Amino acid sequence: MGGTRKPYIAANWKMNLDRTRAMDLVKTLKARIGDGDDREVAVFPPALYLADVAAVAQGSPVGLGAQNLHWEEEGAFTGEISAPMLRDISVDRVLIGHSERRRIFFEKNEWMGRKVRAALDHDLLPILCVGETLEERRAGDLEAVIHGQLEAGFDWVREEEAPRITLAYEPVWAIGTGETATPSQANEVHALIRAWLAVKFPGGEVAASLRILYGGSVKPDNAGALMAQPEIDGLLVGGASLKAETFLPIVEFDR
Ligand code: PEP
């Protein structure tokens, strides 16, 4: 956890929970996190429940995000949701480039810049996800893959707006597999990402302020060790974010 960067714990619910359980979980979270001064907490429910969850989260510091968006504002894009539509129901952030979107739904790396642009243009805070597969890591391509994903995602980002972006490093081999990158393995890649940012935005301010979350089988028993790493500023949590018993101890990793 580095310097002045506020810890950020994000819950990616994927295609899980139902309406009642989603609302109950946010109620519990809201009651527990207080004023949210010392950490940022956000949930990313299935799109269908966003409006209901927004009503429950209202007046609390719990952030509310979508799991994806389309870069156009409207049009013939069956099944898609635009940034203005998300803003319309009080959503304030969005995941972009999650590895499940890239791998299962064949979303192209080159789309990510347009999605990040759309989010920034409509005042949504993006979490841009990057990460390598096991084959890519074994082939020695980790750095090239991460750099390629960062280049695409930051294609149309101006230096002054870059701090509104959060990055998530999620090694594909660690997502939903029970296998976690070791804290030092994760820290190493986070450092590599920060070095890339320092080259892309030479002022140094972006590299110092932008938060990089780790995601991949985060659990109550590994959250503290991951967060103790200097380059890990937060956690993107899938499976363990679906129940208060496992998510709250992660949110309270240092208590
Ligand atoms: C994720 O979906 O972003 C994720 C990290 O999932 P899990 O925690 O289940 O590995």
Side-chain angles (χ1 to χ4, degrees), residues 10-14 95 98-100 129 168-172 174-179 214-219 235-241:
N12 175 15
W13 292 349
K14 313 191 186 191
L95 291 181
H98 190 280
S99 66
E100 286 153 16
C129 305
Y169 168 56
E170 299 207 300
V172 177
I175 298 181
T177 57
E179 197 171 332
Y214 167 78
S217 298
V218 174
K219 303 275 179 289
L235 303 165
L236 178 52
V237 189
S241 73

PDB file of all heavy atoms in Angstrom, residues 10-14 95 98-100 129 168-172 174-179 214-219 235-241, ligand 1:
ATOM      1  N   ALA A  10     -12.662  -3.360  -4.282  1.00  0.00           N
ATOM      2  CA  ALA A  10     -13.766  -3.432  -5.238  1.00  0.00           C
ATOM      3  C   ALA A  10     -14.301  -4.853  -5.339  1.00  0.00           C
ATOM      4  O   ALA A  10     -13.528  -5.813  -5.364  1.00  0.00           O
ATOM      5  CB  ALA A  10     -13.276  -2.953  -6.605  1.00  0.00           C
ATOM      6  N   ALA A  11     -15.633  -4.955  -5.386  1.00  0.00           N
ATOM      7  CA  ALA A  11     -16.294  -6.259  -5.440  1.00  0.00           C
ATOM      8  C   ALA A  11     -16.884  -6.482  -6.830  1.00  0.00           C
ATOM      9  O   ALA A  11     -17.823  -5.791  -7.224  1.00  0.00           O
ATOM     10  CB  ALA A  11     -17.418  -6.293  -4.395  1.00  0.00           C
ATOM     11  N   ASN A  12     -16.326  -7.448  -7.550  1.00  0.00           N
ATOM     12  CA  ASN A  12     -16.871  -7.796  -8.863  1.00  0.00           C
ATOM     13  C   ASN A  12     -17.790  -9.009  -8.686  1.00  0.00           C
ATOM     14  O   ASN A  12     -17.315 -10.130  -8.531  1.00  0.00           O
ATOM     15  CB  ASN A  12     -15.721  -8.126  -9.827  1.00  0.00           C
ATOM     16  CG  ASN A  12     -16.232  -8.612 -11.169  1.00  0.00           C
ATOM     17  OD1 ASN A  12     -17.407  -8.457 -11.492  1.00  0.00           O
ATOM     18  ND2 ASN A  12     -15.353  -9.205 -11.960  1.00  0.00           N
ATOM     19  N   TRP A  13     -19.087  -8.744  -8.715  1.00  0.00           N
ATOM     20  CA  TRP A  13     -20.035  -9.842  -8.474  1.00  0.00           C
ATOM     21  C   TRP A  13     -20.265 -10.717  -9.705  1.00  0.00           C
ATOM     22  O   TRP A  13     -20.924 -11.747  -9.616  1.00  0.00           O
ATOM     23  CB  TRP A  13     -21.379  -9.265  -7.990  1.00  0.00           C
ATOM     24  CG  TRP A  13     -21.298  -8.652  -6.626  1.00  0.00           C
ATOM     25  CD1 TRP A  13     -20.257  -8.745  -5.735  1.00  0.00           C
ATOM     26  CD2 TRP A  13     -22.303  -7.858  -5.979  1.00  0.00           C
ATOM     27  NE1 TRP A  13     -20.542  -8.060  -4.584  1.00  0.00           N
ATOM     28  CE2 TRP A  13     -21.796  -7.500  -4.705  1.00  0.00           C
ATOM     29  CE3 TRP A  13     -23.571  -7.405  -6.348  1.00  0.00           C
ATOM     30  CZ2 TRP A  13     -22.522  -6.724  -3.809  1.00  0.00           C
ATOM     31  CZ3 TRP A  13     -24.300  -6.622  -5.455  1.00  0.00           C
ATOM     32  CH2 TRP A  13     -23.779  -6.297  -4.204  1.00  0.00           C
ATOM     33  N   LYS A  14     -19.769 -10.282 -10.833  1.00  0.00           N
ATOM     34  CA  LYS A  14     -19.947 -11.049 -12.079  1.00  0.00           C
ATOM     35  C   LYS A  14     -21.442 -11.373 -12.286  1.00  0.00           C
ATOM     36  O   LYS A  14     -22.290 -10.569 -11.933  1.00  0.00           O
ATOM     37  CB  LYS A  14     -19.089 -12.316 -12.070  1.00  0.00           C
ATOM     38  CG  LYS A  14     -17.653 -12.044 -11.634  1.00  0.00           C
ATOM     39  CD  LYS A  14     -16.756 -13.212 -11.870  1.00  0.00           C
ATOM     40  CE  LYS A  14     -15.388 -12.904 -11.271  1.00  0.00           C
ATOM     41  NZ  LYS A  14     -14.368 -13.840 -11.654  1.00  0.00           N
ATOM     42  N   LEU A  95     -15.983  -1.235 -14.784  1.00  0.00           N
ATOM     43  CA  LEU A  95     -14.846  -2.117 -15.098  1.00  0.00           C
ATOM     44  C   LEU A  95     -14.651  -2.119 -16.606  1.00  0.00           C
ATOM     45  O   LEU A  95     -15.637  -2.186 -17.357  1.00  0.00           O
ATOM     46  CB  LEU A  95     -15.137  -3.566 -14.681  1.00  0.00           C
ATOM     47  CG  LEU A  95     -15.236  -3.922 -13.204  1.00  0.00           C
ATOM     48  CD1 LEU A  95     -15.505  -5.434 -13.069  1.00  0.00           C
ATOM     49  CD2 LEU A  95     -13.961  -3.553 -12.464  1.00  0.00           C
ATOM     50  N   HIS A  98     -12.106  -6.521 -18.318  1.00  0.00           N
ATOM     51  CA  HIS A  98     -11.950  -7.691 -17.448  1.00  0.00           C
ATOM     52  C   HIS A  98     -11.571  -8.892 -18.319  1.00  0.00           C
ATOM     53  O   HIS A  98     -12.075  -9.038 -19.434  1.00  0.00           O
ATOM     54  CB  HIS A  98     -13.244  -7.963 -16.670  1.00  0.00           C
ATOM     55  CG  HIS A  98     -13.058  -8.993 -15.598  1.00  0.00           C
ATOM     56  ND1 HIS A  98     -13.057 -10.337 -15.870  1.00  0.00           N
ATOM     57  CD2 HIS A  98     -12.831  -8.873 -14.264  1.00  0.00           C
ATOM     58  CE1 HIS A  98     -12.845 -11.005 -14.740  1.00  0.00           C
ATOM     59  NE2 HIS A  98     -12.704 -10.140 -13.750  1.00  0.00           N
ATOM     60  N   SER A  99     -10.734  -9.766 -17.793  1.00  0.00           N
ATOM     61  CA  SER A  99     -10.228 -10.869 -18.639  1.00  0.00           C
ATOM     62  C   SER A  99     -11.359 -11.786 -19.116  1.00  0.00           C
ATOM     63  O   SER A  99     -11.248 -12.403 -20.179  1.00  0.00           O
ATOM     64  CB  SER A  99      -9.166 -11.673 -17.901  1.00  0.00           C
ATOM     65  OG  SER A  99      -9.752 -12.338 -16.812  1.00  0.00           O
ATOM     66  N   GLU A 100     -12.466 -11.862 -18.359  1.00  0.00           N
ATOM     67  CA  GLU A 100     -13.580 -12.690 -18.833  1.00  0.00           C
ATOM     68  C   GLU A 100     -14.236 -12.052 -20.060  1.00  0.00           C
ATOM     69  O   GLU A 100     -14.689 -12.741 -20.974  1.00  0.00           O
ATOM     70  CB  GLU A 100     -14.593 -12.914 -17.694  1.00  0.00           C
ATOM     71  CG  GLU A 100     -14.039 -13.908 -16.685  1.00  0.00           C
ATOM     72  CD  GLU A 100     -14.563 -13.763 -15.272  1.00  0.00           C
ATOM     73  OE1 GLU A 100     -15.585 -13.084 -15.059  1.00  0.00           O
ATOM     74  OE2 GLU A 100     -13.928 -14.332 -14.356  1.00  0.00           O
ATOM     75  N   CYS A 129      -8.636  -3.265 -16.477  1.00  0.00           N
ATOM     76  CA  CYS A 129      -8.020  -4.523 -16.039  1.00  0.00           C
ATOM     77  C   CYS A 129      -6.991  -5.010 -17.059  1.00  0.00           C
ATOM     78  O   CYS A 129      -7.265  -5.004 -18.268  1.00  0.00           O
ATOM     79  CB  CYS A 129      -9.080  -5.613 -15.883  1.00  0.00           C
ATOM     80  SG  CYS A 129     -10.444  -5.150 -14.791  1.00  0.00           S
ATOM     81  N   ALA A 168      -6.221  -2.417 -12.625  1.00  0.00           N
ATOM     82  CA  ALA A 168      -6.268  -3.667 -11.858  1.00  0.00           C
ATOM     83  C   ALA A 168      -5.382  -4.673 -12.561  1.00  0.00           C
ATOM     84  O   ALA A 168      -5.585  -4.947 -13.752  1.00  0.00           O
ATOM     85  CB  ALA A 168      -7.694  -4.187 -11.753  1.00  0.00           C
ATOM     86  N   TYR A 169      -4.394  -5.187 -11.832  1.00  0.00           N
ATOM     87  CA  TYR A 169      -3.583  -6.275 -12.378  1.00  0.00           C
ATOM     88  C   TYR A 169      -4.224  -7.591 -11.950  1.00  0.00           C
ATOM     89  O   TYR A 169      -4.309  -7.885 -10.750  1.00  0.00           O
ATOM     90  CB  TYR A 169      -2.129  -6.203 -11.872  1.00  0.00           C
ATOM     91  CG  TYR A 169      -1.368  -7.470 -12.199  1.00  0.00           C
ATOM     92  CD1 TYR A 169      -1.288  -7.924 -13.526  1.00  0.00           C
ATOM     93  CD2 TYR A 169      -0.767  -8.237 -11.204  1.00  0.00           C
ATOM     94  CE1 TYR A 169      -0.639  -9.101 -13.836  1.00  0.00           C
ATOM     95  CE2 TYR A 169      -0.099  -9.423 -11.514  1.00  0.00           C
ATOM     96  CZ  TYR A 169      -0.047  -9.843 -12.832  1.00  0.00           C
ATOM     97  OH  TYR A 169       0.597 -11.021 -13.151  1.00  0.00           O
ATOM     98  N   GLU A 170      -4.699  -8.328 -12.934  1.00  0.00           N
ATOM     99  CA  GLU A 170      -5.362  -9.602 -12.643  1.00  0.00           C
ATOM    100  C   GLU A 170      -4.767 -10.694 -13.526  1.00  0.00           C
ATOM    101  O   GLU A 170      -5.189 -10.859 -14.678  1.00  0.00           O
ATOM    102  CB  GLU A 170      -6.863  -9.489 -12.927  1.00  0.00           C
ATOM    103  CG  GLU A 170      -7.567  -8.459 -12.083  1.00  0.00           C
ATOM    104  CD  GLU A 170      -9.032  -8.810 -11.909  1.00  0.00           C
ATOM    105  OE1 GLU A 170      -9.756  -8.906 -12.908  1.00  0.00           O
ATOM    106  OE2 GLU A 170      -9.437  -9.023 -10.759  1.00  0.00           O
ATOM    107  N   PRO A 171      -3.784 -11.435 -12.989  1.00  0.00           N
ATOM    108  CA  PRO A 171      -3.251 -12.534 -13.790  1.00  0.00           C
ATOM    109  C   PRO A 171      -4.369 -13.529 -14.088  1.00  0.00           C
ATOM    110  O   PRO A 171      -5.053 -13.976 -13.161  1.00  0.00           O
ATOM    111  CB  PRO A 171      -2.167 -13.140 -12.888  1.00  0.00           C
ATOM    112  CG  PRO A 171      -2.355 -12.566 -11.528  1.00  0.00           C
ATOM    113  CD  PRO A 171      -3.200 -11.344 -11.642  1.00  0.00           C
ATOM    114  N   VAL A 172      -4.555 -13.848 -15.351  1.00  0.00           N
ATOM    115  CA  VAL A 172      -5.695 -14.687 -15.744  1.00  0.00           C
ATOM    116  C   VAL A 172      -5.644 -16.041 -15.027  1.00  0.00           C
ATOM    117  O   VAL A 172      -6.674 -16.579 -14.626  1.00  0.00           O
ATOM    118  CB  VAL A 172      -5.710 -14.874 -17.289  1.00  0.00           C
ATOM    119  CG1 VAL A 172      -6.834 -15.801 -17.719  1.00  0.00           C
ATOM    120  CG2 VAL A 172      -5.850 -13.522 -17.977  1.00  0.00           C
ATOM    121  N   ALA A 174      -4.904 -16.661 -12.126  1.00  0.00           N
ATOM    122  CA  ALA A 174      -5.268 -16.571 -10.698  1.00  0.00           C
ATOM    123  C   ALA A 174      -6.742 -16.232 -10.494  1.00  0.00           C
ATOM    124  O   ALA A 174      -7.211 -16.199  -9.355  1.00  0.00           O
ATOM    125  CB  ALA A 174      -4.398 -15.523 -10.014  1.00  0.00           C
ATOM    126  N   ILE A 175      -7.480 -15.978 -11.573  1.00  0.00           N
ATOM    127  CA  ILE A 175      -8.873 -15.562 -11.408  1.00  0.00           C
ATOM    128  C   ILE A 175      -9.793 -16.768 -11.262  1.00  0.00           C
ATOM    129  O   ILE A 175      -9.889 -17.599 -12.164  1.00  0.00           O
ATOM    130  CB  ILE A 175      -9.335 -14.682 -12.584  1.00  0.00           C
ATOM    131  CG1 ILE A 175      -8.493 -13.409 -12.631  1.00  0.00           C
ATOM    132  CG2 ILE A 175     -10.822 -14.331 -12.453  1.00  0.00           C
ATOM    133  CD1 ILE A 175      -8.878 -12.458 -13.722  1.00  0.00           C
ATOM    134  N   GLY A 176     -10.433 -16.862 -10.107  1.00  0.00           N
ATOM    135  CA  GLY A 176     -11.408 -17.923  -9.860  1.00  0.00           C
ATOM    136  C   GLY A 176     -10.779 -19.303  -9.778  1.00  0.00           C
ATOM    137  O   GLY A 176     -11.475 -20.314  -9.799  1.00  0.00           O
ATOM    138  N   THR A 177      -9.469 -19.381  -9.669  1.00  0.00           N
ATOM    139  CA  THR A 177      -8.798 -20.683  -9.687  1.00  0.00           C
ATOM    140  C   THR A 177      -8.351 -21.120  -8.301  1.00  0.00           C
ATOM    141  O   THR A 177      -7.945 -22.254  -8.115  1.00  0.00           O
ATOM    142  CB  THR A 177      -7.519 -20.608 -10.558  1.00  0.00           C
ATOM    143  OG1 THR A 177      -6.674 -19.569 -10.022  1.00  0.00           O
ATOM    144  CG2 THR A 177      -7.860 -20.304 -12.005  1.00  0.00           C
ATOM    145  N   GLY A 178      -8.400 -20.203  -7.347  1.00  0.00           N
ATOM    146  CA  GLY A 178      -7.901 -20.533  -6.012  1.00  0.00           C
ATOM    147  C   GLY A 178      -6.392 -20.307  -5.942  1.00  0.00           C
ATOM    148  O   GLY A 178      -5.782 -20.348  -4.884  1.00  0.00           O
ATOM    149  N   GLU A 179      -5.777 -20.078  -7.107  1.00  0.00           N
ATOM    150  CA  GLU A 179      -4.334 -19.839  -7.133  1.00  0.00           C
ATOM    151  C   GLU A 179      -4.097 -18.327  -7.112  1.00  0.00           C
ATOM    152  O   GLU A 179      -4.601 -17.607  -7.978  1.00  0.00           O
ATOM    153  CB  GLU A 179      -3.759 -20.431  -8.422  1.00  0.00           C
ATOM    154  CG  GLU A 179      -2.273 -20.595  -8.344  1.00  0.00           C
ATOM    155  CD  GLU A 179      -1.745 -21.391  -9.552  1.00  0.00           C
ATOM    156  OE1 GLU A 179      -2.516 -22.207 -10.081  1.00  0.00           O
ATOM    157  OE2 GLU A 179      -0.609 -21.172  -9.922  1.00  0.00           O
ATOM    158  N   TYR A 214      -4.819  -5.301  -7.079  1.00  0.00           N
ATOM    159  CA  TYR A 214      -4.521  -6.684  -7.459  1.00  0.00           C
ATOM    160  C   TYR A 214      -5.827  -7.479  -7.424  1.00  0.00           C
ATOM    161  O   TYR A 214      -6.650  -7.308  -6.508  1.00  0.00           O
ATOM    162  CB  TYR A 214      -3.500  -7.338  -6.497  1.00  0.00           C
ATOM    163  CG  TYR A 214      -3.469  -8.837  -6.735  1.00  0.00           C
ATOM    164  CD1 TYR A 214      -2.774  -9.354  -7.829  1.00  0.00           C
ATOM    165  CD2 TYR A 214      -4.218  -9.712  -5.943  1.00  0.00           C
ATOM    166  CE1 TYR A 214      -2.814 -10.708  -8.116  1.00  0.00           C
ATOM    167  CE2 TYR A 214      -4.259 -11.072  -6.222  1.00  0.00           C
ATOM    168  CZ  TYR A 214      -3.554 -11.561  -7.317  1.00  0.00           C
ATOM    169  OH  TYR A 214      -3.617 -12.912  -7.607  1.00  0.00           O
ATOM    170  N   GLY A 215      -6.002  -8.369  -8.391  1.00  0.00           N
ATOM    171  CA  GLY A 215      -7.165  -9.255  -8.385  1.00  0.00           C
ATOM    172  C   GLY A 215      -6.778 -10.654  -8.811  1.00  0.00           C
ATOM    173  O   GLY A 215      -5.934 -10.837  -9.704  1.00  0.00           O
ATOM    174  N   GLY A 216      -7.375 -11.642  -8.162  1.00  0.00           N
ATOM    175  CA  GLY A 216      -7.098 -13.040  -8.493  1.00  0.00           C
ATOM    176  C   GLY A 216      -7.089 -13.861  -7.226  1.00  0.00           C
ATOM    177  O   GLY A 216      -6.095 -13.891  -6.511  1.00  0.00           O
ATOM    178  N   SER A 217      -8.278 -14.472  -6.928  1.00  0.00           N
ATOM    179  CA  SER A 217      -8.414 -15.337  -5.746  1.00  0.00           C
ATOM    180  C   SER A 217      -8.000 -14.651  -4.448  1.00  0.00           C
ATOM    181  O   SER A 217      -7.330 -15.256  -3.595  1.00  0.00           O
ATOM    182  CB  SER A 217      -7.636 -16.650  -5.948  1.00  0.00           C
ATOM    183  OG  SER A 217      -8.161 -17.352  -7.050  1.00  0.00           O
ATOM    184  N   VAL A 218      -8.396 -13.395  -4.296  1.00  0.00           N
ATOM    185  CA  VAL A 218      -8.171 -12.709  -3.019  1.00  0.00           C
ATOM    186  C   VAL A 218      -9.158 -13.272  -1.997  1.00  0.00           C
ATOM    187  O   VAL A 218     -10.345 -13.472  -2.299  1.00  0.00           O
ATOM    188  CB  VAL A 218      -8.374 -11.180  -3.155  1.00  0.00           C
ATOM    189  CG1 VAL A 218      -8.291 -10.509  -1.788  1.00  0.00           C
ATOM    190  CG2 VAL A 218      -7.337 -10.591  -4.112  1.00  0.00           C
ATOM    191  N   LYS A 219      -8.647 -13.565  -0.809  1.00  0.00           N
ATOM    192  CA  LYS A 219      -9.464 -14.141   0.275  1.00  0.00           C
ATOM    193  C   LYS A 219      -9.132 -13.405   1.569  1.00  0.00           C
ATOM    194  O   LYS A 219      -8.113 -12.709   1.635  1.00  0.00           O
ATOM    195  CB  LYS A 219      -9.099 -15.622   0.468  1.00  0.00           C
ATOM    196  CG  LYS A 219      -9.242 -16.489  -0.777  1.00  0.00           C
ATOM    197  CD  LYS A 219     -10.674 -16.977  -0.938  1.00  0.00           C
ATOM    198  CE  LYS A 219     -10.891 -17.837  -2.173  1.00  0.00           C
ATOM    199  NZ  LYS A 219     -10.863 -17.216  -3.462  1.00  0.00           N
ATOM    200  N   LEU A 235      -7.686  -4.006  -3.898  1.00  0.00           N
ATOM    201  CA  LEU A 235      -7.981  -5.374  -4.315  1.00  0.00           C
ATOM    202  C   LEU A 235      -9.261  -5.400  -5.132  1.00  0.00           C
ATOM    203  O   LEU A 235     -10.240  -4.709  -4.793  1.00  0.00           O
ATOM    204  CB  LEU A 235      -8.149  -6.250  -3.062  1.00  0.00           C
ATOM    205  CG  LEU A 235      -6.930  -6.261  -2.107  1.00  0.00           C
ATOM    206  CD1 LEU A 235      -7.325  -6.851  -0.748  1.00  0.00           C
ATOM    207  CD2 LEU A 235      -5.758  -7.021  -2.716  1.00  0.00           C
ATOM    208  N   LEU A 236      -9.256  -6.174  -6.196  1.00  0.00           N
ATOM    209  CA  LEU A 236     -10.478  -6.424  -6.962  1.00  0.00           C
ATOM    210  C   LEU A 236     -10.845  -7.874  -6.661  1.00  0.00           C
ATOM    211  O   LEU A 236     -10.082  -8.799  -6.946  1.00  0.00           O
ATOM    212  CB  LEU A 236     -10.227  -6.198  -8.460  1.00  0.00           C
ATOM    213  CG  LEU A 236     -11.376  -6.446  -9.423  1.00  0.00           C
ATOM    214  CD1 LEU A 236     -12.647  -5.692  -9.026  1.00  0.00           C
ATOM    215  CD2 LEU A 236     -10.990  -6.039 -10.850  1.00  0.00           C
ATOM    216  N   VAL A 237     -12.015  -8.042  -6.041  1.00  0.00           N
ATOM    217  CA  VAL A 237     -12.364  -9.335  -5.461  1.00  0.00           C
ATOM    218  C   VAL A 237     -13.574  -9.924  -6.173  1.00  0.00           C
ATOM    219  O   VAL A 237     -14.616  -9.264  -6.290  1.00  0.00           O
ATOM    220  CB  VAL A 237     -12.695  -9.159  -3.955  1.00  0.00           C
ATOM    221  CG1 VAL A 237     -12.846 -10.509  -3.279  1.00  0.00           C
ATOM    222  CG2 VAL A 237     -11.636  -8.314  -3.250  1.00  0.00           C
ATOM    223  N   GLY A 238     -13.469 -11.157  -6.619  1.00  0.00           N
ATOM    224  CA  GLY A 238     -14.586 -11.838  -7.272  1.00  0.00           C
ATOM    225  C   GLY A 238     -15.327 -12.710  -6.277  1.00  0.00           C
ATOM    226  O   GLY A 238     -16.146 -12.239  -5.479  1.00  0.00           O
ATOM    227  N   GLY A 239     -15.024 -14.002  -6.278  1.00  0.00           N
ATOM    228  CA  GLY A 239     -15.745 -14.985  -5.471  1.00  0.00           C
ATOM    229  C   GLY A 239     -15.953 -14.586  -4.013  1.00  0.00           C
ATOM    230  O   GLY A 239     -17.057 -14.713  -3.479  1.00  0.00           O
ATOM    231  N   ALA A 240     -14.909 -14.090  -3.382  1.00  0.00           N
ATOM    232  CA  ALA A 240     -15.000 -13.777  -1.948  1.00  0.00           C
ATOM    233  C   ALA A 240     -15.807 -12.505  -1.678  1.00  0.00           C
ATOM    234  O   ALA A 240     -16.049 -12.163  -0.516  1.00  0.00           O
ATOM    235  CB  ALA A 240     -13.601 -13.651  -1.350  1.00  0.00           C
ATOM    236  N   SER A 241     -16.244 -11.816  -2.724  1.00  0.00           N
ATOM    237  CA  SER A 241     -17.027 -10.587  -2.495  1.00  0.00           C
ATOM    238  C   SER A 241     -18.528 -10.864  -2.453  1.00  0.00           C
ATOM    239  O   SER A 241     -19.340  -9.957  -2.238  1.00  0.00           O
ATOM    240  CB  SER A 241     -16.736  -9.556  -3.590  1.00  0.00           C
ATOM    241  OG  SER A 241     -17.330  -9.933  -4.822  1.00  0.00           O
TER     242      SER A 241
HETATM  243  C1  PEP B   1     -12.262 -11.002 -10.643  1.00  0.00           C
HETATM  244  O1  PEP B   1     -13.252 -11.411 -11.190  1.00  0.00           O
HETATM  245  O2  PEP B   1     -11.891  -9.861 -10.911  1.00  0.00           O
HETATM  246  C2  PEP B   1     -11.564 -11.869  -9.691  1.00  0.00           C
HETATM  247  C3  PEP B   1     -10.408 -11.481  -9.252  1.00  0.00           C
HETATM  248  O3  PEP B   1     -12.181 -13.037  -9.321  1.00  0.00           O
HETATM  249  P1  PEP B   1     -11.752 -14.027  -8.096  1.00  0.00           P
HETATM  250  O4  PEP B   1     -11.486 -13.162  -6.892  1.00  0.00           O
HETATM  251  O5  PEP B   1     -12.904 -14.942  -7.919  1.00  0.00           O
HETATM  252  O6  PEP B   1     -10.494 -14.731  -8.539  1.00  0.00           O
END
